[in-house]
Amino acid sequence: MRRILPILSFILLTTICSQGQSSRITPVIDGNDRIVKLYPNPATSYITFDLQGNYKKGLSIYIYNGLLGKKMYEAANVQEKTTVTLNDFSRGMYIYHLIDETGKILESGKFQVSR
């Protein structure tokens, strides 16, 4: 059982990351065309998502626990700058998805919570 959990976690993380990358319109070459800039990373008590240049209304952010895949946070119609309080987040890696109103993943990324 102890061997299965890391393997399943790796498969889940790989699937989530590849799904987010395959749905992008243009590939990330040097990181300059990313829609979301997030800081601080690693985070302790909050993290700020700053939507860059092509911000449009109706976007949603979903945050998942990187190890378990559990949805930890969801926000619809996010503002250009959105701050998420991390009180209910334990130490570890988290994955976010920026999704448009049609349900398409525009961008995926990860951040770390350290306490």
Side-chain angles (χ1 to χ4, degrees):
M1 186 66 177
R2 290 184 181 181
R3 292 182 182 179
I4 293 174
L5 185 59
I7 293 169
L8 290 175
S9 299
F10 176 76
I11 292 170
L12 176 65
L13 182 62
T14 305
T15 304
I16 290 172
C17 287
S18 65
Q19 178 186 12
Q21 291 174 358
S22 66
S23 66
R24 287 186 53 91
I25 296 171
T26 56
V28 175
I29 296 170
D30 59 2
N32 290 335
D33 66 341
R34 297 195 61 91
I35 299 169
V36 177
K37 178 180 178 185
L38 56 100
Y39 54 89
N41 191 10
T44 54
S45 56
Y46 70 91
I47 191 153
T48 301
F49 292 89
D50 191 359
L51 304 180
Q52 302 295 306
N54 50 354
Y55 167 74
K56 60 181 180 179
K57 295 185 181 210
L59 299 179
S60 300
I61 291 180
Y62 293 86
I63 300 175
Y64 298 91
N65 181 305
L67 183 61
L68 303 174
K70 177 183 174 189
K71 186 183 343 177
M72 300 294 295
Y73 179 82
E74 174 181 341
N77 296 317
V78 294
Q79 301 299 315
E80 198 167 353
K81 197 174 270 195
T82 301
T83 300
V84 177
T85 308
L86 303 174
N87 293 337
D88 296 334
F89 290 61
S90 58
R91 182 179 179 174
M93 197 64 91
Y94 292 86
I95 297 169
Y96 72 87
H97 293 309
L98 181 67
I99 300 176
D100 67 7
E101 59 277 347
T102 65
K104 180 180 176 186
I105 298 175
L106 299 177
E107 185 170 302
S108 258
K110 60 185 177 179
F111 65 93
Q112 182 177 348
V113 174
S114 61
R115 303 231 180 226

